[in-house]
Amino acid sequence: MILPIVAYGDPVLRKMCEEIAPSYLNLQELIDNMYETMNGANGVGLAAPQVGQSLRLFIVDASPLAEEEDDPSLVDFKKVFINPEMLSEEGEPWDFNEGCLSIPEVREDVRRKPYIQIRYFDREFNQHVERFSDLPARIIQHEYDHIEGVLFIDHLSPLKKRLLKRKLTDISKGKIEVGYKMKFPLIKTR
Ligand code: NI
């Protein structure tokens, strides 16, 4: 089932998310719905708060980027991260033009470190400690930020943020054309 994606301005995007117990009900269904939602919106990553669930869970699927970035290895980068913990971020920071399904039509260069090590559980609750680099690391860093209540625009300079202010207000009011189902915090529902 495709879920509405929560738009910028919703308080759920600003919460520190809760850990998930292995006994959490309907977790598999939530993950399946998140995949359907992300694929339907042509996203490469989606975090639980973006579908209104304040849980430490995100999914990634970089295959849409494989052709664009001319990197066939991205096709296989499809994973579920449950209760992840970032262990390290290293290397010389690099810029990449990021976007976010919760902030449509906004893309900005964000500077992040290229090498990470992360501990997480997969959807069967097997624990992994893995290293990632370059684009996979980048996608994980963006999604990991989401479960900590951080958005990619938080990494921009005060000037860039000021220039985006009106656009962000428009997004939270639903004054935007978007090709997927969204939930806008400032549209009053009766
Ligand atoms: Ni995002």
Side-chain angles (χ1 to χ4, degrees):
M1 185 174 66
I2 290 185
L3 307 168
I5 294 176
V6 169
Y8 175 84
D10 193 306
V12 74
L13 295 176
R14 290 311 194 175
K15 281 191 191 154
M16 183 69 101
C17 293
E18 301 285 329
E19 294 232 329
I20 303 173
S23 58
Y24 186 87
L25 282 179
N26 303 327
L27 180 61
Q28 301 304 324
E29 190 187 345
L30 173 62
I31 292 168
D32 289 341
N33 288 342
M34 284 174 65
Y35 266 112
E36 207 180 326
T37 302
M38 178 178 71
N39 294 336
N42 296 314
V44 294
L46 186 70
Q50 294 183 276
V51 291
Q53 303 291 327
S54 191
L55 297 170
R56 292 184 74 82
L57 158 67
F58 60 82
I59 60 170
V60 299
D61 179 357
S63 48
L65 274 177
E67 203 172 324
E68 203 176 306
E69 298 293 328
D70 197 24
D71 181 353
S73 74
L74 292 174
V75 172
D76 302 319
F77 184 58
K78 182 174 171 180
K79 276 177 194 291
V80 176
F81 294 80
I82 295 169
N83 298 339
E85 191 191 338
M86 194 68 83
L87 301 176
S88 67
E89 293 177 271
E90 290 167 340
E92 196 58 41
W94 64 299
D95 281 330
F96 184 77
N97 201 245
E98 294 189 23
C100 180
L101 294 176
S102 293
I103 315 175
E105 289 184 12
V106 175
R107 295 200 68 94
E108 294 289 346
D109 281 353
V110 177
R111 181 156 290 201
R112 300 185 193 267
K113 292 179 176 175
Y115 306 110
I116 65 166
Q117 188 179 27
I118 191 167
R119 175 169 47 219
Y120 66 96
F121 295 84
D122 61 27
R123 67 188 294 171
E124 283 84 39
F125 269 88
N126 301 307
Q127 191 178 202
H128 304 264
V129 175
E130 268 183 84
R131 290 179 187 278
F132 297 93
S133 60
D134 307 306
L135 271 179
R138 167 74 54 163
I139 296 167
I140 291 169
Q141 287 162 318
H142 177 115
E143 299 311 323
Y144 189 87
D145 270 358
H146 272 300
I147 63 169
E148 304 265 294
V150 174
L151 300 170
F152 81 94
I153 50 171
D154 300 344
H155 295 285
L156 304 177
S157 69
L159 173 65
K160 277 215 168 126
K161 276 185 217 166
R162 211 154 55 236
L163 293 172
L164 279 175
K165 204 162 180 220
R166 178 182 292 268
K167 184 111 199 193
L168 294 173
T169 305
D170 283 350
I171 291 172
S172 44
K173 287 178 177 166
K175 286 198 221 161
I176 189 159
E177 289 289 332
V178 55
Y180 46 88
K181 191 159 63 159
M182 290 196 88
K183 177 175 168 272
F184 299 101
L186 296 184
I187 291 185
K188 302 273 179 288
T189 46
R190 273 167 280 188

